[in-house]
């Protein structure tokens, strides 16, 4: 589906791309994906492809964006979803120049808990946060190579570097994606495809409301914003940065994890740290 042709955008470009920006954004119906779509739509000549399950949300967002926008309503864990997205992009826009892998979910459960824990929780989390990303990237990679210089941005998480009780499946999925990103960045450099990693900290969104931190006088100072993540995506994609924490201070948490692992483990095991295991909409 598509929205009407918009007036020309007036925002200054983040970089000087070799060709028109054709950005495919997953998880675009709300939260970080929506913020990324709004930010990238301000790039001159941008063409945006929104991908998520909720078509009514995608259509409404497309009507608001100052760029030519189309959408694909799909569940990326479905077998035919990657090819559906690829075929749509080819038919409506030609070659993609930016893929933003943002769609994901977090199911909170301790591994040994009989309530939603164990292997099944790991399986369903990996299916969304890792497997679906790999499959979509594989489907679009030949076209991204053909469009080079182009870019892929994977939205992972600081949780992929520093884990907490109750987030083992989520952290494992994001750690896998972050390390996969590091390897593919090197592999694809020769093809002109940059692969960037954006690692958000705690950012309130519809899916991750971070209520525990929002209601905490101390915790609220740890919060980032969807707009901040969107700017990080622009830096990692159009600016071709290899890695971007947002807020930037979360990079210190990763540094501490490697510089003082015993201290990090001790802190993560305290009662005070439990507020950082926030509930998500996926838990409901």
């Amino acid at each position: 589906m598509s929205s009407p042709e918009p007036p020309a955008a007036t925002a200054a470009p983040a970089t000087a791309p070799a060709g028109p920006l054709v950005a495919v954004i997953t998880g675009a119906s709300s939260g970080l994906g929506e913020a990324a779509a709004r930010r990238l739509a301000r790039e001159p000549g941008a063409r945006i492809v929104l991908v998520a399950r909720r078509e009514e949300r995608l259509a409404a967002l497309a009507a608001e964006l100052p760029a030519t926008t189309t959408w694909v309503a799909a569940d990326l864990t479905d077998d035919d979803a990657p090819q559906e997205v690829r075929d749509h992009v080819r038919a409506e826009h030609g070659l993609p120049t930016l893929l933003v892998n943002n769609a994901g979910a977090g199911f909170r459960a301790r591994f040994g808990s009989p309530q939603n824990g164990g292997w099944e929780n790991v399986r369903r989390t990996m299916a969304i946060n890792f497997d679906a990303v790999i499959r979509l990237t594989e489907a679009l990679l030949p076209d991204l190579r053909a469009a080079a210089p182009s870019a892929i941005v994977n939205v992972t998480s600081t949780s992929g570097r520093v884990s907490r009780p109750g987030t083992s499946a989520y952290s494992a999925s994001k750690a896998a994606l972050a390390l996969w990103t590091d390897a593919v960045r090197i592999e694809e450099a020769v093809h002109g495809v940059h692969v960037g990693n954006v690692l958000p900290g705690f950012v309130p969104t519809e899916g991750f409301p971070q209520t525990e931190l929002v209601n905490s006088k101390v915790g609220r100072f740890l919060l980032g914003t969807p707009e901040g993540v969107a700017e990080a995506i622009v830096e990692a994609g159009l600016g071709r940065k290899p890695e971007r924490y947002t807020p930037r201070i979360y990079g210190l948490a990763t540094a501490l994890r490697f510089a003082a692992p015993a201290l990090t483990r001790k802190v993560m095991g305290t009662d005070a740290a439990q507020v950082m295991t926030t509930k998500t909409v996926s838990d409901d």
Side-chain angles (χ1 to χ4, degrees), residues 1-2 47 49 68 70-71 87-94:
M1 301 296 293
S2 62
R47 302 179 71 89
V49 181
T68 300
T70 64
W71 64 88
D87 293 348
H88 172 92
V89 176
R90 286 177 176 176
E92 297 291 335
H93 305 281

Side-chain angles (χ1 to χ4, degrees), residues 33-199:
E34 178 182 344
R38 292 185 184 278
R39 172 60 184 86
L40 288 166
R42 288 160 37 200
E43 293 293 314
R47 302 179 71 89
I48 307 295
V49 181
L50 308 173
V51 182
R53 292 174 299 172
R54 296 176 291 185
E55 184 165 17
E56 70 284 354
R57 291 278 193 98
L58 299 179
L61 176 59
E64 297 177 13
L65 296 183
T68 300
T69 304
T70 64
W71 64 88
V72 180
D75 183 336
L76 291 175
T77 63
D78 290 345
D79 290 344
D80 59 350
Q83 288 69 39
E84 182 181 357
V85 174
R86 181 200 62 198
D87 293 348
H88 172 92
V89 176
R90 286 177 176 176
E92 297 291 335
H93 305 281
L95 296 174
T97 59
L98 175 63
L99 168 61
V100 179
N101 285 311
N102 164 73
F107 306 99
R108 302 297 192 232
R110 293 182 177 241
F111 181 73
S113 171
Q115 185 67 28
N116 300 323
W119 175 83
E120 174 56 26
N121 189 39
V122 176
R123 183 206 62 77
R124 64 175 178 171
T125 304
M126 291 293 290
I128 298 171
N129 292 356
F130 184 71
D131 298 349
V133 173
I134 308 309
R135 293 173 61 243
L136 180 61
T137 302
E138 182 179 45
L140 293 183
L141 188 57
D143 290 358
L144 286 160
R145 287 176 174 177
S150 57
I152 300 165
V153 176
N154 294 326
V155 180
T156 65
S157 173
T158 303
S159 293
R161 305 293 199 202
V162 182
S163 193
R164 312 181 303 283
T167 68
S168 59
Y170 181 77
S171 290
S173 69
K174 293 300 187 178
L177 183 56
L179 290 174
W180 182 80
T181 299
D182 290 343
V184 177
R185 179 185 304 118
I186 300 169
E187 294 172 0
E188 288 303 313
V190 68
H191 300 292
V193 182
H194 170 72
V195 185
N197 183 12
V198 170
L199 302 96

